[in-house]
Amino acid sequence: MGTMHLDISEVAQRSGLPASALRYYEEKGLIASSGRRGLRRLFDAGVLERLALIALGRTAGFSLDEIARMFGTDGQPRIDRLMLTAKADELDRTIRNLSVMRDGLRHAAVCSAPSHMACPKFRRILRAAGAGTAKARETSKKPEKVETLARGKRSRASGPA
């Protein structure tokens, strides 16, 4: 019996992704069609598991380019554990920042100060938010380039594990 093939509409229905996203993922090299049935692309049924891995990566905050690098030339996952650790550290920072923001919003909702701008705690949160935004703007592009360069050097410099 051969491998089961799904057309693009079946993959879209089962994955919950629109066909346009599937075509884009194929264009980016994240998935590959296995042929056509008329004008419709066909995919091996294994594409659903690969799409689930892509969804997991997207939920964790990885870019599509980062996710693409997590697959070997044979299509099997080849995940850089250092990249996973770095992303987990980034998520820890995001969780801490969101927790501070949540606590600040809860405080602002019940604060007895005549106005939020008169509340010392709210003003501290406001200053921190402003400083964080300015810092994010200053460094938004540089770390990714440095990280990419460092990752490239590390992979060339280190031999087989």
Side-chain angles (χ1 to χ4, degrees):
M1 189 171 213
T3 303
M4 186 169 107
H5 292 278
L6 305 170
D7 75 30
I8 193 166
S9 64
E10 293 169 307
V11 175
Q13 181 181 15
R14 291 184 186 194
S15 69
L17 292 168
S20 58
L22 298 172
R23 287 188 293 273
Y24 182 67
Y25 284 5
E26 184 176 21
E27 181 183 313
K28 298 274 294 173
L30 292 163
I31 60 174
S33 60
S34 56
R36 292 195 178 262
R37 181 182 302 143
L39 295 176
R40 292 179 178 233
R41 288 171 171 84
L42 292 175
F43 294 91
D44 181 277
V47 74
L48 296 173
E49 185 173 86
R50 190 172 177 108
L51 289 169
L53 285 166
I54 294 166
L56 180 63
R58 296 291 289 156
T59 300
F62 288 106
S63 71
L64 290 178
D65 289 336
E66 289 171 323
I67 293 168
R69 290 192 301 267
M70 291 184 194
F71 291 101
T73 53
D74 60 358
Q76 293 302 308
R78 188 188 65 215
I79 300 170
D80 179 343
R81 292 174 191 271
L82 292 174
M83 193 165 64
L84 294 180
T85 300
K87 183 57 73 175
D89 292 344
E90 181 184 322
L91 288 172
D92 280 339
R93 287 188 296 277
T94 300
I95 289 166
R96 281 193 300 274
N97 291 339
L98 289 173
S99 294
V100 167
M101 184 57 63
R102 178 206 56 217
D103 294 347
L105 291 172
R106 290 196 190 288
H107 172 79
V110 297
C111 182
S112 60
S115 81
H116 291 107
M117 298 311 283
C119 171
K121 185 172 184 173
F122 185 79
R123 299 219 32 109
R124 277 194 308 274
I125 293 166
L126 192 61
R127 279 193 303 275
T133 302
K135 187 176 181 181
R137 278 195 304 262
E138 291 171 11
T139 62
S140 65
K141 294 294 177 189
K142 293 179 184 176
E144 189 172 314
K145 285 183 180 178
V146 170
E147 181 184 323
T148 301
L149 289 173
R151 191 172 29 250
K153 286 179 183 174
R154 184 172 53 245
S155 64
R156 283 191 298 274
S158 62

